[in-house]
Amino acid sequence: MRMVNNPFILYGYESEAYFCDRKEETEQLLRFIENGNNVALIAPRRIGKTGLIENVFHQSKVKKNYYTFLIDIYATKNIEDMIMAMGSGMLSSLRPWGTKVMQKFTGFLTSLRSGISFDSMGNPSWNVSVGDIHTPRVTLDEIFRYIESADKPCIVAIDEFQAVSHYPDGNAEALLRTYVQHCRNANFIFAGSQRSMMAEIFSSPARPFYQSTSMMSIDCIPIEKYCQFAQKHFKAAGKTLPAAVFQKVYERFEGITWYVQRVMNELFAISRPNTSCTIEMIDSAVESILRANEFNYQSMLFQLPPKQKMLLLAISKAGKATAITSADFIRRWHLPSTSSVQAAIKGLLEKSFVTTSLGVYEVYDKFFAMWLLRK
């Protein structure tokens, strides 16, 4: 295991030593897979579902016995984009297994042959563009034929799976369901952050994936376990993290893993050996994070149309906004009209500036929300 300067990892997966808890969730997901179940994994964004999948993939028995693929389709707009994400992601995942394994995969992709090149050692590179995918269903068929013929069983995790429901081709769900249903050499994890949409996809009798998966959700890491994890890493570096300091961070960011991890990363960076973190250092850490993102936040706000900007500021000030089209909300935050709010919230949701659950709206990025409060 390589040396890690800051144990509070922000992106990717390093090793189990830097992964906090999720032991029960890891065992449950492994149990589903080992018993031949496909899984719909539902959790809010930034709570740690992708990290959980990677932790499962790094278990020794999984690494030894399976090919594992983690495909993020969050930014995809159509089935061609999804196929691009699958192809490039699978080739990247197969790279550690060597040239022959990669060549077997690319050998199935005859419809994309012009977009795949090889170096002098025979290692393939993915040079495919969306325009190269002329017959999406043919390419998708090739990908699934590879999965079915692979010399190890596969685990295919598709992250932000609810994106498929927005594809212009209204048949995308039915097409994928057909391939998944007939694929005997793989188990699938369909991970998603929009709970209502994921529930609709997998629980509605009118949808192709109805009752085709085991349902699983995850919540925040318990504060006691997360605190022990953080204190252990501070102690290993000769630093002290009082439980009260960690509790303040955890509560301030509602236990959401990525935000807690980001602030702990900053606190660890500004703490010195043989010293103890203080409550006051939390504000310094948050301020440092906001300063680092100042230009990005300014650009994001500048690009918004005026009415979307007004509504975004109103939601940030409300914190958790409800009844945003009501006369009371419009009057309180000096918004133009009900129709303008309806149009603005649609745009903010599409751009992921705002998230909603059970009629409650809030700014998606909590650090961005803090920055907006200064406006």
Side-chain angles (χ1 to χ4, degrees):
M1 183 173 66
R2 74 180 181 91
M3 178 71 70
V4 173
N5 292 326
N6 193 315
F8 298 96
I9 307 298
L10 299 179
Y11 303 101
Y13 181 94
E14 186 60 40
S15 74
E16 203 160 15
Y18 303 103
F19 183 78
C20 180
D21 193 43
R22 300 291 192 203
K23 297 188 186 303
E24 291 182 6
E25 295 94 330
T26 297
E27 291 173 1
Q28 182 182 2
L29 192 49
L30 268 173
R31 189 164 57 249
F32 281 139
I33 295 299
E34 290 174 339
N35 286 281
N37 293 288
N38 295 327
V39 182
L41 176 62
I42 305 173
R45 290 193 72 195
R46 298 192 168 184
I47 207 76
K49 65 184 183 307
T50 306
L52 171 63
I53 293 168
E54 295 224 51
N55 192 53
V56 168
F57 284 3
H58 281 80
Q59 299 301 301
S60 57
K61 57 183 175 181
V62 173
K63 290 175 70 175
K64 178 181 177 181
N65 297 313
Y66 293 87
Y67 290 134
T68 56
F69 307 108
L70 177 56
I71 315 298
D72 185 354
I73 64 169
Y74 175 69
T76 62
K77 304 298 183 185
N78 50 50
I79 198 163
E80 289 86 355
D81 286 347
M82 186 198 71
I83 290 170
M84 277 284 293
M86 289 186 73
S88 60
M90 289 174 68
L91 182 60
S92 177
S93 297
L94 291 171
R95 196 166 297 280
W97 292 94
T99 301
K100 289 185 178 179
V101 173
M102 289 191 291
Q103 286 179 345
K104 180 175 180 179
F105 171 59
T106 56
F108 275 83
L109 303 180
T110 56
S111 65
L112 301 180
R113 189 159 290 163
S114 62
I116 298 172
S117 60
F118 297 84
D119 63 19
S120 59
M121 303 296 292
N123 295 307
S125 295
W126 186 267
N127 303 306
V128 180
S129 66
V130 173
D132 295 323
I133 303 174
H134 302 295
T135 49
R137 296 191 183 193
V138 170
T139 306
L140 194 61
D141 185 71
E142 292 168 349
I143 289 173
F144 273 88
R145 280 197 292 113
Y146 164 76
I147 293 171
E148 192 64 31
S149 68
D151 59 334
K152 292 176 183 286
C154 303
I155 306 174
V156 182
I158 304 179
D159 204 2
E160 299 302 339
F161 184 72
Q162 72 274 344
V164 300
S165 65
H166 297 303
Y167 292 172
D169 181 355
N171 198 40
E173 282 181 44
L175 182 63
L176 284 169
R177 174 69 177 99
T178 299
Y179 279 114
V180 169
Q181 184 178 20
H182 293 97
C183 191
R184 302 302 180 197
N185 196 42
N187 289 108
F188 292 82
I189 302 169
F190 304 103
S193 57
Q194 296 183 18
R195 294 189 181 192
S196 58
M197 196 172 298
M198 288 289 287
E200 175 72 15
I201 290 172
F202 292 99
S203 301
S204 170
R207 303 293 278 266
F209 278 94
Y210 175 60
Q211 291 188 339
S212 65
T213 64
S214 296
M215 305 293 286
M216 180 176 172
S217 63
I218 60 172
D219 210 337
C220 299
I221 299 169
I223 187 170
E224 298 83 5
K225 292 182 179 179
Y226 209 160
C227 184
Q228 290 169 9
F229 169 83
Q231 288 179 320
K232 178 185 71 174
H233 285 296
F234 269 76
K235 184 177 180 181
K239 306 175 182 184
T240 302
L241 175 69
V245 174
F246 182 84
Q247 181 177 351
K248 190 79 172 177
V249 174
Y250 186 95
E251 291 176 350
R252 185 169 181 176
F253 293 95
E254 302 175 330
I256 299 174
T257 308
W258 191 86
Y259 296 102
V260 175
Q261 195 82 347
R262 180 67 185 90
V263 176
M264 297 314 300
N265 179 284
E266 192 68 27
L267 284 174
F268 186 90
I270 65 177
S271 298
R272 298 190 178 280
N274 303 314
T275 63
S276 178
C277 273
T278 64
I279 295 290
E280 292 72 25
M281 291 173 69
I282 298 173
D283 286 337
S284 297
V286 171
E287 184 63 31
S288 177
I289 293 167
L290 296 185
R291 280 199 309 271
N293 288 283
E294 177 96 21
F295 178 78
N296 185 39
Y297 293 155
Q298 288 176 340
S299 298
M300 291 163 63
L301 194 60
F302 178 77
Q303 292 170 20
L304 285 179
K307 291 179 181 179
Q308 290 184 18
K309 188 183 301 184
M310 290 176 66
L311 181 57
L312 181 66
L313 289 168
I315 292 172
S316 71
K317 291 172 183 175
K320 293 183 183 294
T322 58
I324 63 173
T325 58
S326 67
D328 180 63
F329 186 88
I330 291 169
R331 183 170 55 252
R332 181 181 179 188
W333 301 112
H334 311 291
L335 300 172
S337 65
T338 297
S339 60
S340 71
V341 169
Q342 290 172 334
I345 194 61
K346 181 180 178 182
L348 291 173
L349 288 169
E350 287 175 351
K351 297 169 186 173
S352 296
F353 278 84
V354 168
T355 184
T356 181
S357 178
L358 301 176
V360 178
Y361 296 85
E362 55 186 316
V363 178
Y364 167 65
D365 185 330
K366 291 186 178 298
F367 292 129
F368 186 33
M370 290 178 176
W371 182 83
L372 287 169
L373 287 176
R374 303 176 177 182
K375 296 294 164 186

